[in-house]
Amino acid sequence: GIQVEQSPPDLILQEGANSTLRCNFSDSVNNLQWFHQNPWGQLINLFYIPSGTKQNGRLSATTVATERYSLLYISSSQTTDSGVYFCAGWVVDSNYQLIWGAGTKLIIKP
Amino acid sequence: DTEVTQTPKHLVMGMTNKKSLKCEQHMGHRAMYWYKQKAKKPPELMFVYSYEKLSINESVPSRFSPECPNSSLLNLHLHALQPEDSALYLCASSQDGADTQYFGPGTRLTVL
């Protein structure tokens, strides 16, 4: 089926810690994206990462398309990193339908 | 500029009211989207406009009526909503299909 699964569902860390979030996706899904939704509801696109590795400051992402997974790394966490992290992929053969994972809720404690 | 704007930020309406949500982008994107998001859930796709034409309607009730007046604007007209329609309504745009999506800040809708 068409699936995107994220783990863990919840993560609580102290400020300064590192974390890895995982996204597994079925072969009916491609062109993964990672989003951060802050506590006020704003969804920010972090990475568009069909394959390979990208870095942006303290965040980086790796997608291994052949093994159908993607990882989001957050280093030296800050309280502003709190929120929900979603991965989403495009349904193959549909240009306009994103399939979303259930999200990882991250809480960074000061 | 990667900004998508939405108005209003908050909206409270009765079940007999008619209201509209507005979304605007000036990135030259050709695809625009409406999503509905309930608490603790990912966004659910409602409508997609591609090149100002309705491409996808995800079996949304007719009390939600989308409109794309031009390539930069997207409206969602609301009429006779139910309390269960209370949610965060998000607008997004992308250059074309299967591309990076950019989201607006959302309209938090409460139906009394």
Side-chain angles (χ1 to χ4, degrees), chain A residues 30-31 33 35 37 39-45 48 86 90 94-98 100-103 105, chain B residues 31 33 35 37 41-43 45 48 50 55-56 58 88 90 96-101 103-105 108:
Chain A
N30 62 16
N31 295 346
Q33 298 181 69
F35 296 90
Q37 188 165 38
W40 297 271
Q42 174 75 63
L43 263 170
I44 304 293
N45 189 298
Y48 178 81
F86 290 104
W90 292 101
S94 168
N95 279 341
Y96 302 107
Q97 287 181 296
L98 267 181
W100 295 75
K105 184 174 181 181
Chain B
Y33 310 76
Y35 288 88
Q37 187 179 25
K41 297 286 187 184
L45 184 65
V48 181
S50 171
S55 293
I56 294 177
E58 289 285 350
L88 180 67
L90 293 160
D96 206 331
D99 204 344
T100 305
Q101 278 201 351
F103 281 81
R108 205 165 287 279

Side-chain angles (χ1 to χ4, degrees), chain B:
Chain B
D1 181 11
T2 57
E3 189 179 30
V4 177
T5 59
Q6 287 186 245
T7 56
K9 286 191 168 58
H10 301 274
L11 179 61
V12 179
M13 60 186 289
M15 289 191 285
T16 58
N17 292 157
K18 285 185 183 180
K19 296 286 184 185
S20 297
L21 308 184
K22 296 186 185 304
C23 173
E24 193 166 3
Q25 58 89 13
H26 293 288
M27 296 178 277
H29 288 175
R30 309 311 297 190
M32 296 186 76
Y33 310 76
W34 279 116
Y35 288 88
K36 173 184 177 180
Q37 187 179 25
K38 300 286 257 185
K40 300 184 181 181
K41 297 286 187 184
E44 296 173 40
L45 184 65
M46 299 175 72
F47 301 105
V48 181
Y49 273 83
S50 171
Y51 292 83
E52 301 169 46
K53 289 189 169 51
L54 184 63
S55 293
I56 294 177
N57 175 341
E58 289 285 350
S59 303
V60 178
S62 60
R63 56 186 184 267
F64 295 92
S65 175
E67 179 197 18
C68 188
N70 60 54
S71 60
S72 301
L73 290 174
L74 189 64
N75 297 323
L76 186 62
H77 303 298
L78 314 173
H79 174 55
L81 294 194
Q82 304 297 309
E84 60 264 29
D85 296 322
S86 298
L88 180 67
Y89 287 83
L90 293 160
C91 174
S93 70
S94 62
Q95 182 63 43
D96 206 331
D99 204 344
T100 305
Q101 278 201 351
Y102 296 91
F103 281 81
T107 293
R108 205 165 287 279
L109 174 67
T110 302
V111 182
L112 301 176

